[in-house]
Amino acid sequence: CVVSLPPKLFATTKRGTSIPVSLWFLAKNRTQRKGETLFIDARERGSLASRRLRVLTDADIDEISGCFRRWRSGESYRDVPAFSQSATREQIKDHNWSLIPGVYVERSARTGDDEDDIQTSLLKTQELLAVNADLGRRLAALLEQLRG
């Protein structure tokens, strides 16, 4: 099972640089689902705690872990558009052995509502404006140094 997590889960720098994070779950002696891999794309899950930090809610964690448990046990698992896809080894081979969940999980049935998109866009805009102001101050200081 490979799970892509949302960006900004870990505060890494002052500028809020985000690194992609994936969880890989490996089983040595798997009896069920042999030759299959579950891909979960949870990049859209979680909520912004601040401009630079996203947190997974208990409901998000339950959704991810529940999907994995159902898939592993074979009980009532179904692929969920824009969230999870069980792929065979042949399908993975057809995708040049890529283990990126977004390759397999259908993105066209995107979940989420417009209000979250607007809030995210607003936060990104504010962040870009702050970076622009900081660059303007640095440029002014550099020009002042060059004038001498």
Side-chain angles (χ1 to χ4, degrees):
C1 175
V2 181
V3 182
S4 282
L5 295 175
K8 299 183 181 183
L9 279 181
F10 306 101
T12 55
T13 67
K14 287 188 344 185
R15 292 191 190 273
T17 302
S18 182
I19 58 170
V21 177
S22 293
L23 302 176
W24 290 30
F25 298 95
L26 307 173
K28 199 173 195 178
N29 296 317
R30 193 166 43 164
T31 55
Q32 293 202 18
R33 300 281 187 183
K34 197 167 188 125
E36 292 182 54
T37 301
L38 176 64
F39 293 97
I40 298 176
D41 189 349
R43 292 178 296 171
E44 300 289 328
R45 300 307 190 263
S47 58
L48 289 173
S50 70
R51 288 185 315 155
R52 295 182 179 144
L53 185 64
R54 181 177 292 273
V55 295
L56 290 174
T57 65
D58 289 341
D60 295 324
I61 294 168
D62 289 345
E63 181 182 22
I64 294 165
S65 61
C67 180
F68 174 68
R69 279 196 288 272
R70 284 188 303 278
W71 176 82
R72 186 179 59 188
S73 70
E75 296 176 19
S76 68
Y77 171 78
R78 284 186 286 163
D79 292 333
V80 178
F83 182 66
S84 68
Q85 174 76 40
S86 182
T88 64
R89 185 172 289 147
E90 195 62 33
Q91 288 172 311
I92 296 170
K93 180 181 177 187
D94 290 346
H95 285 95
N96 201 25
W97 301 104
S98 175
L99 296 176
I100 300 169
V103 170
Y104 303 94
V105 175
E106 183 66 43
R107 299 304 302 166
S108 63
R110 187 169 171 266
T111 59
D113 57 23
D114 291 338
E115 188 173 319
D116 285 344
D117 291 342
I118 291 169
Q119 181 181 6
T120 300
S121 296
L122 180 60
L123 289 171
K124 285 181 180 180
T125 301
Q126 291 171 342
E127 189 174 323
L128 288 172
L129 288 171
V131 168
N132 188 35
D134 182 51
L135 289 173
R137 285 189 295 274
R138 287 181 180 189
L139 181 59
L142 182 60
L143 289 172
E144 188 63 34
Q145 285 178 353
L146 291 173
R147 287 185 192 131

